[in-house]
DNA sequence: TAGATTGTTAATCGATTAACAATC
DNA sequence: TAGATTGTTAATCGATTAACAATC
């Protein structure tokens, strides 16, 4: 709230990290923490911690530090994790299945309400408590259920047609695991990309150029 | 080579992206490209393209631009993708399986030579052409086979003990999908982390704070 | 009160963009 | 040669760090 005049992406991408560390401290029963100590644990600087947090409000108290549980809740709220955004998952292959089963969407601001797949052999199975539906039923499902976001676990060459169908249904938030550039086609879409192969190439670079 | 005095991480993390776009152009039969055009396609600035590439050498030609196939090969080499680093995968759950089956390691500088799993029911199965071995066999395997890197698809709480065993065998390069902080324990390890839940939280933030 | 630690402003550092001379 | 486009230096912009007055 309040001080919200466009937070930089650098800060935003650090928020989940703060949230993780604070959750852990909270679980350990730590009640308060100073920016200096938190920075130590997170391998950052105290300045950065204070600057980052102050983008969103003055959560600390001079001479005391920050209340771990309160700060955790604040960041949880800032991230929007107390939402229950309705999401559908497209592509129930190994990857989609892995994500559907392993991520705790409820703690991440989402609720997985549907799953769609082209492979007829998989249709009818369940992923956790979610029925795998035929990809053809996507439109009907989206008409009958409010859908906020789509998680795309489909091959690059299939993304465009699926994306067009989803966008036409009004879905504009995407978690994308392919190398298809969604933002180029729909500039107003909110897209987070996961590029595993880019990440692995970076590992390769760093192994190859270790002395740097 | 030559100009290699510590390239910034910002540049390094853009290299896989250059590589992807150049590979695509190359496949399309495009022979040459200017920094201006490449920047257009990649949604960057021509300045950045030229600055980035010049960290590694003068690959272009004034008045002409860059040879797509040559530049692609140069970056491939800079990234070290022509290596065949021997990698083992630990944890053949949904995630590990998905990655083992879907990523084309040969094009990414790696060769997957082994796979280990605690679940006895999975031991003996194959992932593609890789046998799933019992996690107990890890040491023996590493003694008999040169291993450059480990891909860790195991739960956070199991990472430390497995990591200790791997590090003791001399493996110091890790692709890590958990939230365990490998670098904190072994500062000389090369680690690339994939934090899917952080990424999803960022999507959540952006959905929640769209007006920013 | 004295000590600790924040919130915030100022200084530094690094990364991106602009400009242009060099040159194919 | 003239036109195009690089490689590279200089200018700008943004992000990180340092410093310190405010204050619990």
């Amino acid at each position: 709230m309040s001080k919200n005049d466009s937070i930089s992406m650098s800060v935003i991408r650090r928020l989940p990290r703060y949230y993780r560390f604070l959750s852990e401290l909270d679980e350990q029963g730590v009640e308060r923490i100073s920016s200096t100590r938190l920075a130590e644990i997170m391998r950052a600087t105290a300045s950065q911690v204070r600057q980052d947090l102050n983008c969103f409000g003055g959560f600390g108290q001079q001479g005391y530090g920050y209340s771990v549980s309160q700060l955790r809740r604040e960041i949880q709220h800032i991230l929007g994790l107390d939402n229950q955004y309705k999401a559908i998952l497209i592509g129930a292959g190994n990857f989609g299945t892995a994500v559907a089963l392993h991520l705790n969407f409820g703690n991440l601001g989402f609720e997985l309400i549907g799953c769609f797949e082209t492979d007829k052999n998989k249709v009818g199975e369940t992923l956790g408590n979610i029925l795998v539906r035929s990809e053809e039923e996507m439109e009907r499902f989206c008409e009958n259920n409010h859908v906020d976001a789509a998680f795309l676990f489909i091959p690059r060459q299939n993304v465009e047609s699926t994306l067009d169908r989803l966008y036409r249904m009004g879905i504009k938030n995407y978690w994308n695991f392919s190398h298809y550039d969604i933002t180029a086609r729909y500039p107003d879409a909110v897209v987070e990309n996961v590029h595993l192969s880019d990440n692995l190439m970076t590992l390769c670079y760093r192994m190859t150029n270790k002395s740097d």
Side-chain angles (χ1 to χ4, degrees), chain A residues 31-182:
Chain A
E31 281 180 12
R32 68 192 189 90
I33 195 157
S34 68
S35 55
T36 308
R37 183 77 190 105
L38 185 55
E40 256 172 52
I41 298 172
M42 296 181 62
R43 298 162 178 264
T45 63
S47 273
Q48 184 168 78
V49 170
R50 293 206 296 278
Q51 286 274 31
D52 284 354
L53 299 179
N54 274 88
C55 291
F56 304 98
F59 303 129
Q61 195 173 345
Q62 278 100 330
Y64 176 87
Y66 300 85
S67 152
V68 170
S69 66
Q70 187 217 320
L71 187 55
R72 185 191 150 280
R73 275 195 309 272
E74 293 283 3
I75 297 182
Q76 182 176 43
H77 184 69
I78 291 162
L79 280 165
L81 305 184
D82 33 18
N83 284 288
Q84 287 269 78
Y85 292 122
K86 308 304 179 216
I88 55 175
L89 185 152
I90 325 282
N94 286 299
F95 245 116
T97 304
V99 168
L101 296 179
H102 289 304
L103 285 210
N104 195 339
F105 296 110
N107 294 336
L108 299 166
F110 292 91
E111 187 193 350
L112 191 61
I113 61 164
C115 175
F116 300 89
E117 166 63 44
T118 43
D119 182 349
K120 299 286 184 200
N121 294 319
K122 285 183 188 149
V123 173
E125 290 179 8
T126 56
L127 277 190
N129 55 350
I130 302 291
L131 175 68
V132 178
R133 292 179 162 82
S134 160
E135 165 271 345
E136 294 155 16
E137 297 177 45
M138 222 165 61
E139 273 81 2
R140 193 144 43 89
F141 186 90
C142 293
E143 275 162 19
N144 295 328
N145 299 272
H146 175 74
V147 176
D148 295 296
F151 301 161
L152 304 179
F153 294 92
I154 51 183
R156 189 188 199 300
Q157 62 273 18
N158 298 351
V159 173
E160 192 163 292
S161 64
T162 303
L163 173 66
D164 286 348
R165 289 168 61 198
L166 292 165
Y167 189 88
R168 216 179 298 128
M169 302 301 296
I171 301 171
K172 300 192 175 181
N173 303 300
Y174 302 99
W175 198 24
N176 174 41
F177 282 69
S178 81
H179 284 138
Y180 182 89
D181 188 349
I182 295 176

